């Protein structure tokens, strides 16, 4: 079990994520920690080291409720609010909310986000992270005087983030030519009909008829000749060993920490634009924040309002990061970090120290 706590110095609530996975650990969650500072408040993370797929539903529910009880003193709708991540989903969030509500004696929907819509979840949360990845890619291409229309995209990881990113890229005119999950990937330069495959995701082997093409490994997928590469699985995928062979012009980080520091420097030297996780995958935390706001007011928005507000916040965050990047002549990642640190220090100065 891992829990990470962050400073709560900014005005927002803390949004954290709960992971149930046997791969990818604390650093991956920490990578998301700065993300929220770019857009709103602070973020924490926690998880259980387990392969959730090896558990029966009853075992997963018992594990989740026990974990929720253990962290009950840490989380709360005014305090630290978990959302789903690798290996967790709406079902798990519903159990956590129910467990905490049972302890309280009344319903506390704001204690977690990413809940099912009928019990206080928000429309658009499930798609938000992947959708945001495509929104950031569109903004970056616009800055370069281009559009996503006809651009080829490879997506590593076809779970919540990857599959929704693929759908969003496709709806913005791009062509998805490669996708993968933990079992490997498939490549078809003519592109797939992602919308036509419906909700088919996890695992690709179950919806293989929709995704015909050359089988590739996850490592090979990263090096395909595409315009846009979206690592949306786990951390540490682009390293100093393969960074020189990445052929995409744009890397949009859907996963947390998919690019190592050494690889980041190599990509920058090669003129490849990297949209850092802290910006590119922030759509999920932004809409989690909207869910929390709606839970408090007990007033729920329609999907158009959720998406419009998410696009606005993300596009503004990108514009600010881009402007720092231009002014300071640094990468988008460094610019985002500079902006985040500046906001936290500004908040500390304004609040002062007590006692
Ligand atoms: P998920 O469990 O829904 O999907 C993960 C996908 O990656 C699956 O297709 C899985 O088969 C694949 N995968 C797992 N291990 C792999 C490996 N070793 N190689 C290749 N593929 C592998 O998880 P998710 O919620 O989509 O999260 C994916 C990444 O995005 C994580 O890094 C997570 O921290 C990050 N993220 C998620 C959200 C969110 O809202 N869900 C928000 C921000 C960041």
């Amino acid at each position: 079990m891992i829990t990470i706590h962050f400073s709560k110095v900014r005005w927002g609530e803390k949004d954290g994520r709960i992971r149930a996975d046997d791969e990818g650990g604390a650093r991956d969650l920490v990578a998301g920690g700065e993300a929220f500072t770019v857009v709103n408040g602070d973020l924490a993370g926690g998880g259980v080291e387990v392969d959730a797929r090896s558990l029966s539903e009853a075992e997963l529910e018992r594990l989740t409720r026990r974990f929720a009880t253990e962290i009950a003193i840490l989380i709360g709708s005014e305090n630290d609010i978990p959302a789903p991540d690798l290996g967790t989903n709406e079902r798990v969030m519903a159990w956590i909310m129910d467990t905490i509500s049972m302890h309280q004696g009344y319903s506390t929907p704001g204690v977690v986000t990413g809940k099912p819509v009928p019990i206080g979840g928000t429309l658009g949360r499930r798609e938000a992270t992947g959708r945001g990845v495509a929104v950031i890619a569109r903004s970056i291409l616009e800055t370069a005087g281009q559009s996503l229309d006809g651009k080829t995209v490879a997506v590593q990881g076809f779970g919540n983030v990857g599959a929704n990113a693929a759908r969003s890229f496709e709806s913005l005119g791009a062509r998805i030519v490669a996708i993968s999950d933990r079992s490997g990937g498939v490549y078809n330069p003519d592109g797939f009909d992602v919308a036509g495959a419906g909700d088919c995701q996890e695992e690709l082997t179950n919806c293989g008829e929709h995704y015909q093409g050359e089988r590739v490994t996850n490592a090979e997928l990263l090096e395909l000749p595409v315009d846009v590469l979206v690592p949306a699985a786990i951390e540490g995928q682009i390293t100093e060993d393969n960074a020189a062979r990445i052929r995409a012009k744009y890397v949009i980080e859907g996963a947390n920490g998919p690019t190592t520091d050494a690889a980041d420097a190599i990509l920058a030297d090669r003129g490849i634009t990297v949209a850092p996780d802290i910006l590119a995958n922030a759509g999920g935390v932004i809409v989690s924040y909207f869910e929390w706001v709606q839970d408090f007011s007990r007033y729920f928005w329609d999907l158009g309002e959720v998406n419009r507000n998410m696009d606005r916040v993300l596009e503004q965050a990108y514009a600010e990061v881009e402007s720092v990047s231009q002014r300071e002549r640094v990468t988008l990642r460094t610019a985002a970090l500079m902006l985040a640190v500046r906001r936290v220090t500004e908040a500390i100065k304004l609040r002062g120290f007590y006692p």
Side-chain angles (χ1 to χ4, degrees):
M1 181 192 300
I2 310 159
T3 57
I4 304 164
H5 267 260
F6 280 84
S7 145
K8 195 173 167 17
V9 71
R10 298 199 70 220
W11 59 269
E13 95 292 6
K14 261 197 307 195
D15 178 290
R17 281 187 255 119
I18 296 279
R19 167 174 294 190
D21 196 66
D22 57 346
E23 289 184 63
R27 181 189 174 274
D28 202 1
L29 285 164
V30 173
E34 299 96 5
F36 213 40
T37 56
V38 172
V39 278
N40 183 17
D42 307 283
L43 189 141
V48 181
E49 202 158 320
V50 64
D51 181 357
R53 294 164 309 153
S54 68
L55 304 179
S56 68
E57 178 156 308
E59 285 171 333
L60 184 60
E61 179 173 358
R62 279 204 303 280
L63 178 71
T64 302
R65 288 188 185 276
R66 174 68 202 213
F67 181 63
T69 304
E70 296 273 358
I71 62 171
I73 53 166
L74 302 174
I75 65 176
S77 53
E78 302 261 13
N79 184 17
D80 188 343
I81 301 139
D85 197 77
L86 270 180
T88 56
N89 55 23
E90 292 178 5
R91 191 79 199 85
V92 170
M93 295 300 126
W95 287 325
I96 297 176
M97 187 276 253
D98 182 72
T99 304
I100 304 300
S101 297
M102 286 297 161
H103 290 180
Q104 297 291 339
Y106 52 87
S107 266
T108 58
V111 72
V112 285
T113 59
K115 298 180 294 298
V117 171
I119 57 166
T122 180
L123 294 169
R125 174 61 182 86
R126 193 182 301 161
E127 302 81 17
T129 307
R131 201 171 158 276
V133 167
V135 168
I136 290 294
R138 179 179 61 188
S139 298
I140 288 178
L141 265 82
E142 274 169 11
T143 304
Q146 298 186 36
S147 86
L148 276 174
D149 205 32
K151 295 285 184 298
T152 53
V153 181
V155 181
Q156 186 197 49
F158 208 58
N160 177 281
V161 178
N164 284 303
R167 289 183 196 113
S168 300
F169 273 106
E170 189 179 73
S171 74
L172 293 171
R175 190 153 41 102
I176 309 302
V177 296
I179 54 176
S180 72
D181 63 14
R182 68 180 79 221
S183 69
V186 56
Y187 171 52
N188 185 338
D190 294 332
F192 303 117
D193 176 12
V194 181
D199 285 342
C200 208
Q201 64 184 66
E202 268 300 3
E203 298 291 330
L204 282 182
T205 35
N206 295 334
C207 43
E209 78 273 18
H210 295 291
Y211 296 108
Q212 297 291 335
E214 181 193 338
R215 291 296 296 185
V216 290
T217 64
N218 268 294
E220 288 165 346
L221 178 140
L222 298 172
E223 300 174 18
L224 289 171
V226 292
D227 297 307
V228 180
L229 173 63
V230 180
I234 56 169
E235 65 173 337
Q237 295 301 291
I238 304 175
T239 66
E240 60 186 324
D241 295 333
N242 62 6
R245 295 193 300 274
I246 301 296
R247 284 187 275 177
K249 297 171 203 69
Y250 302 93
V251 175
I252 315 292
E253 295 185 333
N256 281 320
T259 311
T260 65
D261 294 344
D264 209 36
I266 295 170
L267 296 180
D269 278 350
R270 294 185 55 220
I272 295 172
T273 302
V274 178
D277 48 10
I278 112 179
L279 178 68
N281 70 27
V285 279
I286 292 168
V287 176
S288 274
Y289 172 70
F290 296 161
E291 180 174 333
W292 178 79
V293 168
Q294 293 169 78
D295 285 336
F296 257 89
S297 60
R298 303 291 199 267
Y299 178 76
F300 291 87
W301 310 348
D302 63 28
L303 182 60
E305 190 165 5
V306 173
N307 287 343
R308 260 193 316 281
N309 277 295
M310 185 189 93
D311 290 5
R312 181 181 53 77
V313 175
L314 265 183
E315 282 163 3
Q316 189 182 326
Y318 168 71
E320 289 175 60
V321 169
E322 212 274 323
S323 138
V324 174
S325 155
Q326 293 285 342
R327 196 173 60 240
E328 307 290 340
R329 297 177 184 282
V330 292
T331 62
L332 291 174
R333 191 187 310 281
T334 303
L337 197 57
M338 287 168 77
L339 198 57
V341 169
R342 190 180 307 156
R343 288 181 179 178
V344 171
T345 50
E346 181 189 23
I348 290 172
K349 279 189 197 152
L350 286 168
R351 288 178 69 149
F353 286 107
Y354 177 83

